[in-house]
Amino acid sequence: MGSTRGKESGILLAAQVVCIVLFGIFVEYDPAIAPRNNSTEAKQLTQATTAQFNNLYPFFQDVHVIVVIGIGLLLTFLKQYAYSSVAYNFLLTCYVIEWSVLVNGWFALIGTTETKIYINTKSLLDADFAAATVLISFCTVLGVTSPTQLTVMATIEVIFYNISFYVGVGIMEVVDVGGSMFVHGFAAFFGVGVARVLYREAQTRSDKEDSTYQSDITAMIGTLFLWLYWPSFNGSPAEGVGRQRAVVNTILSLSACVVTTFAISALINRKGKFEMVHVQNATLAGGVAMGANADLIVHPFGALLIGVAASISSSLGYSYLQPILTRRKLHDTCGVFNLHALPGMLGAFVSAIVISMATPDVYQESYSMVVRGDRTPALQAAYQIGGLLVSTAIALFGGVVTGLLLKLRVWDNLENDELFEDSIFWKTHDEPDDLSVEKIEMKE
Amino acid sequence: MGSTRGKESGILLAAQVVCIVLFGIFVEYDPAIAPRNNSTEAKQLTQATTAQFNNLYPFFQDVHVIVVIGIGLLLTFLKQYAYSSVAYNFLLTCYVIEWSVLVNGWFALIGTTETKIYINTKSLLDADFAAATVLISFCTVLGVTSPTQLTVMATIEVIFYNISFYVGVGIMEVVDVGGSMFVHGFAAFFGVGVARVLYREAQTRSDKEDSTYQSDITAMIGTLFLWLYWPSFNGSPAEGVGRQRAVVNTILSLSACVVTTFAISALINRKGKFEMVHVQNATLAGGVAMGANADLIVHPFGALLIGVAASISSSLGYSYLQPILTRRKLHDTCGVFNLHALPGMLGAFVSAIVISMATPDVYQESYSMVVRGDRTPALQAAYQIGGLLVSTAIALFGGVVTGLLLKLRVWDNLENDELFEDSIFWKTHDEPDDLSVEKIEMKE
Amino acid sequence: MGSTRGKESGILLAAQVVCIVLFGIFVEYDPAIAPRNNSTEAKQLTQATTAQFNNLYPFFQDVHVIVVIGIGLLLTFLKQYAYSSVAYNFLLTCYVIEWSVLVNGWFALIGTTETKIYINTKSLLDADFAAATVLISFCTVLGVTSPTQLTVMATIEVIFYNISFYVGVGIMEVVDVGGSMFVHGFAAFFGVGVARVLYREAQTRSDKEDSTYQSDITAMIGTLFLWLYWPSFNGSPAEGVGRQRAVVNTILSLSACVVTTFAISALINRKGKFEMVHVQNATLAGGVAMGANADLIVHPFGALLIGVAASISSSLGYSYLQPILTRRKLHDTCGVFNLHALPGMLGAFVSAIVISMATPDVYQESYSMVVRGDRTPALQAAYQIGGLLVSTAIALFGGVVTGLLLKLRVWDNLENDELFEDSIFWKTHDEPDDLSVEKIEMKE
């Protein structure tokens, strides 16, 4: 590769300038947080918004932690790729926050006469969901992509994410409050598309694709924060009592998922031992599968069942499916297929079943949130499956297209011996050429 | 020991199935989060509950972090036991959440005509308190128990915890909002009971019972989160203005405790140096001692005094009492006796003194929360001491019985050379026998 | 230095006793959290305060995390100074919480007839801001000061911090909700004053002033929590809709700052690589610069611009200014000048520009919060610059005076070969002289 690695700086600076210009043109404060006049209506709006904000903010911060600490630390399990893991995660989050405020905002303008995007904490929460989606896709190609490739991928993925979301949630009115299909499923299949196209045999032979004792513990801190704040992830987009139901359902599902994962991990290990790969990952599958069901009335025992099923699908995925996929030339560094695709699909199917049994008597005033418009429950259930298909199709298409673009050897693409290695793009302790030290020495 | 270690998987799966069945029979959503009808009453209940939920949720999440990250990371100080520490902590939390929703719920049904347990965020907070109790007991036998033993211990301890709580808080109406007696004291004495019975000399000779520089720092992250979110732990069960008083009191007590601990640590070290064992542990004693006093009017200077006294009892405990206890055949890996039993007892005594001086004039409308029924302050103070005795007695009895059960050599009990060592139950980096890799190789 | 290092214990214990006595004399619960009578007014006050508390508490906890985890872990980057970094940070936080409740409280009594300091969660938030200030100053002398020196420094700095705050915010009514000038700027210049006086050549030659791969990752966890909870830091002192505006502005600024920092880091590294020192530090400059502007109407694109400018000033500072400062005998261990002074000054200048353009039409009812009294916008802008000068002058004066005091060789001052080294004041794993073990052995 050599010395020509200034590309990423240029792309980031250009993207930042473009974002500032577009923000100048399109983005303005929500009137509720910067009232334009002194009318009674403006005051009432402000008060109502402040109350909503006070209730949303703790959820928002939890989601923020999930994205930056949760995913960021979970990725540090690789022994020589911790700088890259945590830092690219951080960079992509911030870039996607800016970019998806714009793209999410434009999609929200479709069909309205508005021309401005009004920003508030809810917009930033939506941006965090977009960021989570991009970061999950990033996990599939962790260690085998340059930051330049990742920046390009993020730029494109945010658009496809919005298309999928617009078609699925906007037009088809699929129920998916916590994003089993439109966050996790989409992200996994998009990532799988990219990873499949970028596959090369050298990926499967690197002895750097391994963890250390300490890196496993740091990664585990990420897992724990993901587990702890997942109820806020699933609950934050929910409305009214649905939010508390989402919290209760998600905690039950995640708890059952952890218990089951430990049991299965020791069962399928030949020596009957626990494996960290399961404990770090499959323990979270219950949150993924609960996404589409979080505010539904699945009953407490049903929440536990969903957690158990998610754990089984994910744990078995890690131990049996992943080696097969690798042989089929799909190298998925973090096993996103097992943690997000399988439980995401499970969540979609379960939501179809649960919704097919919905009655106004059970859901009372939230019935119209679950069975949309004048559909029958059976029809809404069909839409749930349809949503899964749409999200998967758009994700795979977008991922493959993006992968083909990233394969062009103009994005600082990595050589075979540069995989899973920080030192390619990072100043490490082996290098004495510190610019600062040098400067001092030069002058002395 | 050998190859027969699949027991834990069987027990966990059986427990999970039992929990699902019992949840199906007993547990239903709180009507406030899943309204059964459309009446005005149902709507008012829902609104009131949503407001309570919005206020409680940030506290709940903090307690959740305390249990999973706080205790979990603090336990990783052992150099070859970090997988086990953080992961068993995680597993036990999740198992206890499920199990104690049931057991706590059944105890709450005593004396009512209800037959259903109605679940909401408050139930899950109560479950977290039960989990914290079990995890504190786990700390006493860290490194010397198999996961199977721990699962059995958790199952039994939740029952004894509820008995002690029911007798002390339900019947005797002891004041103990943050659990000096019924969480910390109970957990410590239960753990001590188990640890005493399980004692064997090999425990005191292992050179693996030590930390490393890095493991001390990871453990310290746990300490800091415990310190930061302890005000939420003590405040979450409090009502009305008592909650903010609990927050203020706990922060003051914890701050004074930290300052005092540094002073004492350097004083009692022969070379005048600080010791990490004090900084990691005794700094938290102010939160434990404040448990029974959190919502009382101890005055700000009193809160500082409680923190100082707690620090002294705990720091001296670590340096002087623990070696003595070890010689008396009580090996307490994390020094739970010093961090939870001593400050817990201190908190109980202080609460008796403070309550003995309570007047309606000082407490105004919260007087009836402090001096219960038609008792005199002196009588309530006596009940506080009574509560400590009851909790301690039930804990010790429960702990010893549980210890005797765990001693039966059917729970994957550890051999003497297997103590404080991850590799017994964990796949580690030394083992090449990865099932997945193997599968690929076999087919090639 | 030798054996006489018990001084810190004496000072801490004396300070603790003094704090308890002064709390006894001066500090009482806010009547709203411990009502003194049963009047309707008392009840209304209590209700209003409880509502405020419920909204403030999540912000407060975030700030608490920033101080203890954020700064605490960021400091652990030094390879042999992690115990000291995280623990002195913890100790100073706790000591300053106690001490600044008193000093902040006394300053708030000026000009009133009150004689009591009424404590509540807001007082503790103010104390956290004072703690953050002291900790930022601590960063300049990290590794070259004894805990005794740090304790003395904290004691004095809290007083100067309050003088600067009283003059700038109280009398001059400068607008600085998130503390660009009165927290970050003040802290940096105070620290610079101390560091300049304490400078010795040995500081610049220590090969211990370096990080390791793992210590960089632990430090990065600190950075991430600082980044995540900074919106709460800037938003917590804001009122009404200003709080949500502060959150939105700060997130936008911080996001643009991160993107820009990655771009610049790779640009100025000779090999085009990213440097962890930028990613760990300069990524946060957007939060510092937004301090004085957080609740102003800078518009979303303006928030991005502020983040970009802050990143540039800070990144260039780390790479070009810091070596120059070191040659001029200012050794600033963590580069506080680049992270807090430069972006702090930037924030002050930007606030002057923004306020000079303020109109009642744009700000509506918050106009009087921005342009104080009967000032013109231009005059208020001048006051903003005046505030920066006042804060800087008081900080430099206070820092130099404190530095001279700390230079007296009575505070356990470090020898040249004792810098950046835990083992001077900490029991480490190299020392077998565990008091506890010894005791057991002695008796056997």
Side-chain angles (χ1 to χ4, degrees):
Chain A
M1 208 63 287
S3 57
T4 174
R5 302 229 156 157
K7 247 170 217 167
E8 173 71 347
S9 294
I11 290 178
L12 288 177
L13 288 177
Q16 186 58 65
V17 169
V18 168
C19 279
I20 291 172
V21 172
L22 293 174
F23 265 66
I25 298 173
F26 288 104
V27 185
E28 204 32 89
Y29 295 122
D30 181 341
I33 69 171
R36 311 291 194 264
N37 59 59
N38 212 7
S39 65
T40 315
E41 282 145 10
K43 278 183 186 162
Q44 283 171 344
L45 179 64
T46 301
Q47 277 174 4
T49 305
T50 301
Q52 278 173 23
F53 167 72
N54 284 325
N55 295 337
L56 184 63
Y57 190 64
F59 283 80
F60 170 74
Q61 287 291 69
D62 289 358
V63 172
H64 230 39
V65 172
I66 275 195
V67 170
V68 172
I69 286 280
I71 308 182
L73 292 187
L74 179 51
L75 295 185
T76 62
F77 72 99
L78 290 171
K79 61 185 171 185
Q80 294 178 35
Y81 205 67
Y83 284 2
S84 305
S85 295
V86 77
Y88 298 161
N89 189 81
F90 189 25
L91 170 62
L92 291 175
T93 301
C94 291
Y95 172 51
V96 172
I97 286 176
E98 293 184 59
W99 177 229
S100 69
V101 163
L102 289 165
V103 182
N104 295 353
W106 289 326
F107 271 87
L109 294 181
I110 296 176
T112 73
T113 58
E114 267 308 342
T115 56
K116 286 282 183 188
I117 297 165
Y118 293 110
I119 196 170
N120 56 25
T121 309
K122 182 69 174 63
S123 333
L124 293 169
L125 178 68
D126 293 341
D128 271 1
F129 271 69
T133 306
V134 168
L135 296 173
I136 294 167
S137 301
F138 164 42
C139 299
T140 56
V141 292
L142 186 77
V144 301
T145 36
S146 72
T148 315
Q149 287 178 305
L150 294 172
T151 309
V152 173
M153 185 186 90
T155 309
I156 302 172
E157 183 167 359
V158 168
I159 297 169
F160 280 104
Y161 164 77
N162 267 286
I163 294 173
S164 150
F165 196 86
Y166 181 78
V167 174
V169 179
I171 298 177
M172 297 172 65
E173 299 196 73
V174 175
V175 173
D176 189 19
V177 70
S180 288
M181 297 166 241
F182 298 100
V183 173
H184 300 287
F186 178 87
F189 283 107
F190 189 96
V192 158
V194 174
R196 180 63 190 78
V197 174
L198 293 184
Y199 177 85
R200 45 186 154 168
E201 226 186 308
Q203 284 177 312
T204 62
R205 291 208 213 101
S206 175
D207 58 359
K208 291 175 191 159
E209 196 189 3
D210 201 3
S211 62
T212 65
Y213 193 66
Q214 178 59 39
S215 75
D216 269 337
I217 296 302
T218 309
M220 194 69 205
I221 301 178
T223 299
L224 297 181
F225 273 109
L226 284 163
W227 187 91
L228 284 163
Y229 288 157
W230 210 297
S232 300
F233 189 92
N234 282 350
S236 57
E239 305 273 342
V241 290
R243 188 175 281 172
Q244 188 171 179
R245 216 152 57 209
V247 165
V248 169
N249 281 338
T250 305
I251 292 175
L252 291 177
S253 172
L254 281 169
S255 297
C257 183
V258 170
V259 170
T260 308
T261 299
F262 274 83
I264 295 183
S265 183
L267 262 191
I268 61 188
N269 175 281
R270 204 176 41 166
K271 293 193 179 174
K273 295 182 175 186
F274 301 121
E275 300 190 18
M276 280 306 273
V277 70
H278 296 131
V279 174
Q280 284 165 355
N281 295 284
T283 47
L284 302 168
V288 174
M290 192 46 89
N293 300 284
D295 59 348
L296 301 185
I297 297 198
V298 297
H299 298 286
F301 82 94
L304 297 180
L305 270 177
I306 292 172
V308 169
S311 164
I312 294 173
S313 74
S314 184
S315 304
L316 296 184
Y318 274 99
S319 284
Y320 298 105
L321 186 59
Q322 189 150 358
I324 295 172
L325 292 179
T326 307
R327 294 191 67 228
R328 302 272 166 131
K329 301 188 192 298
L330 174 63
H331 179 275
D332 168 4
T333 311
C334 299
V336 166
F337 196 84
N338 315 304
L339 178 48
H340 298 273
L342 295 177
M345 292 189 286
L346 174 70
F349 285 118
V350 171
S351 76
I353 297 171
V354 171
I355 288 175
S356 72
M357 300 184 297
T359 65
D361 199 46
V362 168
Y363 281 90
Q364 294 293 335
E365 58 186 16
S366 41
Y367 183 72
S368 63
M369 308 280 291
V370 172
V371 180
R372 302 291 170 94
D374 51 2
R375 293 175 186 166
T376 61
L379 184 58
Q380 181 69 40
Y383 270 98
Q384 296 296 111
I385 303 301
L388 175 63
L389 295 176
V390 162
S391 136
T392 306
I394 295 175
L396 275 175
F397 174 76
V400 169
V401 168
T402 306
L404 290 171
L405 180 68
L406 297 184
K407 224 174 170 175
L408 300 178
R409 298 192 63 78
V410 296
W411 312 112
D412 292 343
N413 309 38
L414 293 164
E415 301 296 330
N416 284 341
D417 59 351
E418 295 179 336
L419 307 176
F420 309 112
E421 175 63 51
D422 276 335
S423 65
I424 312 304
F425 292 104
W426 289 88
K427 179 166 170 255
T428 57
H429 294 88
D430 307 332
E431 304 176 49
D433 60 330
D434 187 327
L435 197 64
S436 322
V437 168
E438 205 175 53
K439 296 209 133 209
I440 296 181
E441 283 166 354
M442 270 166 55
K443 299 199 177 174
E444 276 171 359
Chain B
M1 208 65 288
S3 57
T4 173
R5 300 227 156 159
K7 247 171 216 166
E8 173 70 346
S9 294
I11 290 178
L12 289 177
L13 288 177
Q16 187 56 65
V17 169
V18 169
C19 279
I20 291 172
V21 171
L22 293 174
F23 265 66
I25 299 172
F26 289 104
V27 185
E28 203 33 87
Y29 294 123
D30 181 341
I33 67 171
R36 310 290 194 266
N37 60 59
N38 213 6
S39 65
T40 314
E41 283 144 10
K43 277 183 186 161
Q44 284 171 344
L45 178 63
T46 301
Q47 276 174 3
T49 306
T50 301
Q52 278 174 24
F53 166 72
N54 284 325
N55 295 337
L56 183 63
Y57 190 64
F59 283 81
F60 170 74
Q61 286 291 68
D62 289 357
V63 172
H64 230 39
V65 172
I66 276 195
V67 169
V68 172
I69 287 280
I71 308 182
L73 292 188
L74 179 51
L75 295 185
T76 62
F77 73 98
L78 289 172
K79 61 184 170 185
Q80 293 178 35
Y81 205 65
Y83 286 0
S84 305
S85 296
V86 76
Y88 298 161
N89 189 80
F90 189 26
L91 170 62
L92 291 176
T93 301
C94 292
Y95 172 51
V96 171
I97 285 176
E98 294 184 58
W99 177 229
S100 70
V101 163
L102 289 165
V103 182
N104 295 354
W106 288 327
F107 271 85
L109 294 181
I110 296 176
T112 73
T113 58
E114 269 304 344
T115 56
K116 287 283 184 188
I117 297 164
Y118 292 111
I119 195 170
N120 57 24
T121 309
K122 183 70 174 62
S123 333
L124 293 169
L125 178 67
D126 292 342
D128 271 1
F129 271 68
T133 306
V134 168
L135 296 173
I136 294 166
S137 302
F138 163 43
C139 298
T140 56
V141 292
L142 186 76
V144 302
T145 37
S146 71
T148 315
Q149 286 177 305
L150 294 172
T151 309
V152 173
M153 185 186 90
T155 309
I156 303 172
E157 183 167 359
V158 169
I159 298 168
F160 279 104
Y161 164 78
N162 268 287
I163 295 173
S164 150
F165 196 87
Y166 181 77
V167 174
V169 178
I171 299 177
M172 297 171 66
E173 298 196 75
V174 175
V175 172
D176 188 18
V177 71
S180 288
M181 297 166 239
F182 297 100
V183 173
H184 300 288
F186 178 88
F189 284 107
F190 189 97
V192 159
V194 174
R196 180 63 190 80
V197 174
L198 293 185
Y199 177 85
R200 45 185 154 169
E201 226 187 309
Q203 285 176 312
T204 62
R205 291 207 213 103
S206 174
D207 58 359
K208 292 176 194 158
E209 195 190 4
D210 200 2
S211 61
T212 64
Y213 193 66
Q214 178 58 39
S215 76
D216 269 337
I217 296 303
T218 309
M220 194 69 205
I221 302 178
T223 299
L224 296 181
F225 273 109
L226 284 162
W227 188 90
L228 284 164
Y229 289 157
W230 210 297
S232 300
F233 189 92
N234 282 351
S236 57
E239 306 273 341
V241 290
R243 188 175 281 172
Q244 188 172 178
R245 215 150 60 209
V247 165
V248 169
N249 281 337
T250 305
I251 292 175
L252 291 177
S253 172
L254 281 169
S255 297
C257 183
V258 170
V259 171
T260 308
T261 299
F262 275 82
I264 295 183
S265 182
L267 263 191
I268 60 187
N269 176 281
R270 206 178 39 165
K271 295 192 177 173
K273 295 184 176 185
F274 301 120
E275 300 191 17
M276 280 305 274
V277 69
H278 297 131
V279 174
Q280 285 166 354
N281 295 284
T283 47
L284 302 169
V288 173
M290 191 47 87
N293 300 284
D295 59 348
L296 301 185
I297 297 198
V298 297
H299 298 286
F301 82 93
L304 297 180
L305 270 177
I306 292 171
V308 169
S311 164
I312 294 172
S313 74
S314 183
S315 304
L316 298 183
Y318 274 98
S319 284
Y320 299 105
L321 186 60
Q322 189 150 359
I324 296 171
L325 291 179
T326 307
R327 294 190 67 228
R328 300 272 165 131
K329 300 188 194 298
L330 173 63
H331 179 275
D332 168 3
T333 311
C334 298
V336 166
F337 196 84
N338 315 305
L339 177 49
H340 298 273
L342 295 176
M345 291 189 287
L346 175 70
F349 285 117
V350 171
S351 77
I353 297 170
V354 171
I355 288 175
S356 72
M357 302 183 296
T359 65
D361 199 45
V362 167
Y363 280 90
Q364 295 294 335
E365 59 186 13
S366 40
Y367 183 73
S368 63
M369 308 281 290
V370 171
V371 180
R372 303 291 170 94
D374 51 3
R375 295 176 185 165
T376 62
L379 185 57
Q380 181 69 41
Y383 269 99
Q384 296 297 111
I385 304 301
L388 175 63
L389 295 177
V390 162
S391 135
T392 305
I394 295 175
L396 276 175
F397 174 76
V400 169
V401 167
T402 307
L404 290 171
L405 180 68
L406 297 184
K407 225 174 169 174
L408 300 178
R409 296 193 64 78
V410 296
W411 312 112
D412 294 340
N413 309 39
L414 293 164
E415 301 297 331
N416 284 342
D417 59 352
E418 295 179 335
L419 307 176
F420 308 111
E421 174 63 51
D422 275 336
S423 65
I424 312 304
F425 293 106
W426 289 88
K427 177 163 171 259
T428 58
H429 294 88
D430 308 332
E431 303 176 50
D433 59 330
D434 188 329
L435 197 64
S436 321
V437 168
E438 203 175 54
K439 295 212 134 209
I440 296 181
E441 283 165 356
M442 272 167 53
K443 298 201 177 171
E444 277 170 359
Chain C
M1 207 66 287
S3 57
T4 174
R5 303 231 154 156
K7 248 169 216 167
E8 173 71 346
S9 294
I11 290 177
L12 289 178
L13 288 178
Q16 187 57 66
V17 170
V18 169
C19 279
I20 292 172
V21 171
L22 292 174
F23 265 67
I25 299 172
F26 289 103
V27 185
E28 203 34 88
Y29 295 123
D30 180 343
I33 67 170
R36 311 289 194 268
N37 60 59
N38 213 6
S39 66
T40 314
E41 283 145 10
K43 276 183 186 160
Q44 283 171 345
L45 179 65
T46 301
Q47 277 173 4
T49 305
T50 300
Q52 279 173 24
F53 167 72
N54 284 325
N55 295 337
L56 184 63
Y57 190 64
F59 283 80
F60 170 74
Q61 287 291 69
D62 289 357
V63 172
H64 229 42
V65 172
I66 276 195
V67 170
V68 172
I69 287 281
I71 308 182
L73 291 187
L74 179 51
L75 295 185
T76 62
F77 73 99
L78 290 171
K79 61 185 170 185
Q80 293 178 36
Y81 205 66
Y83 285 2
S84 305
S85 295
V86 76
Y88 298 161
N89 189 81
F90 189 26
L91 170 62
L92 291 175
T93 300
C94 292
Y95 172 51
V96 171
I97 286 176
E98 292 184 60
W99 178 228
S100 69
V101 162
L102 289 165
V103 182
N104 296 353
W106 288 327
F107 272 86
L109 293 182
I110 296 175
T112 73
T113 58
E114 266 308 343
T115 56
K116 286 284 185 187
I117 297 166
Y118 292 112
I119 196 170
N120 57 25
T121 308
K122 183 71 176 60
S123 334
L124 293 169
L125 178 66
D126 292 341
D128 270 1
F129 271 69
T133 306
V134 168
L135 296 173
I136 293 167
S137 302
F138 163 42
C139 298
T140 56
V141 292
L142 186 76
V144 302
T145 37
S146 71
T148 315
Q149 287 177 305
L150 294 172
T151 309
V152 173
M153 185 187 89
T155 310
I156 303 172
E157 183 167 0
V158 168
I159 298 169
F160 279 105
Y161 164 78
N162 267 286
I163 294 173
S164 151
F165 196 87
Y166 182 77
V167 174
V169 178
I171 298 177
M172 297 172 64
E173 298 196 74
V174 175
V175 172
D176 189 20
V177 70
S180 288
M181 297 165 242
F182 298 100
V183 173
H184 300 288
F186 178 88
F189 284 106
F190 190 96
V192 159
V194 174
R196 180 64 191 78
V197 174
L198 293 185
Y199 177 85
R200 46 184 153 170
E201 225 187 308
Q203 285 177 312
T204 64
R205 291 208 214 100
S206 175
D207 58 358
K208 290 174 193 159
E209 195 189 3
D210 200 4
S211 62
T212 64
Y213 193 67
Q214 178 59 38
S215 76
D216 270 336
I217 296 302
T218 309
M220 194 68 206
I221 302 177
T223 299
L224 297 181
F225 273 109
L226 284 163
W227 187 91
L228 284 163
Y229 288 157
W230 210 298
S232 301
F233 189 91
N234 282 351
S236 57
E239 304 274 340
V241 289
R243 187 175 281 173
Q244 188 173 178
R245 215 151 59 210
V247 165
V248 170
N249 282 337
T250 305
I251 292 175
L252 291 178
S253 173
L254 281 169
S255 297
C257 184
V258 170
V259 171
T260 308
T261 299
F262 274 82
I264 294 183
S265 183
L267 263 190
I268 61 188
N269 176 280
R270 205 177 39 167
K271 295 194 178 172
K273 295 183 175 185
F274 301 120
E275 299 191 19
M276 281 306 274
V277 70
H278 297 132
V279 174
Q280 284 165 355
N281 295 285
T283 47
L284 302 169
V288 174
M290 192 46 88
N293 300 284
D295 59 348
L296 300 185
I297 298 200
V298 297
H299 299 287
F301 82 94
L304 297 180
L305 271 176
I306 292 171
V308 169
S311 164
I312 294 172
S313 74
S314 183
S315 303
L316 297 183
Y318 274 98
S319 283
Y320 299 105
L321 186 60
Q322 190 150 359
I324 295 170
L325 291 179
T326 307
R327 293 190 67 228
R328 302 270 165 134
K329 299 186 193 300
L330 174 63
H331 180 276
D332 168 3
T333 311
C334 298
V336 166
F337 196 84
N338 316 303
L339 177 49
H340 298 274
L342 295 176
M345 291 189 287
L346 175 70
F349 286 117
V350 171
S351 77
I353 297 170
V354 171
I355 288 175
S356 71
M357 302 184 295
T359 64
D361 199 46
V362 167
Y363 280 90
Q364 294 293 335
E365 59 187 13
S366 41
Y367 183 71
S368 63
M369 309 281 290
V370 172
V371 180
R372 303 291 170 94
D374 50 3
R375 293 176 186 166
T376 62
L379 184 59
Q380 180 69 41
Y383 270 99
Q384 295 297 112
I385 304 302
L388 175 63
L389 295 176
V390 162
S391 135
T392 306
I394 296 175
L396 275 175
F397 174 76
V400 168
V401 168
T402 307
L404 290 171
L405 180 68
L406 297 183
K407 223 172 170 175
L408 300 178
R409 296 194 64 78
V410 297
W411 310 113
D412 293 342
N413 308 40
L414 292 165
E415 302 296 333
N416 285 341
D417 59 351
E418 295 179 335
L419 307 176
F420 308 112
E421 174 62 52
D422 275 336
S423 66
I424 312 305
F425 293 105
W426 288 88
K427 178 165 171 253
T428 58
H429 294 90
D430 307 332
E431 305 176 49
D433 59 332
D434 188 326
L435 198 64
S436 320
V437 169
E438 205 175 52
K439 296 210 132 210
I440 296 181
E441 282 165 356
M442 272 166 55
K443 298 199 177 173
E444 276 170 0

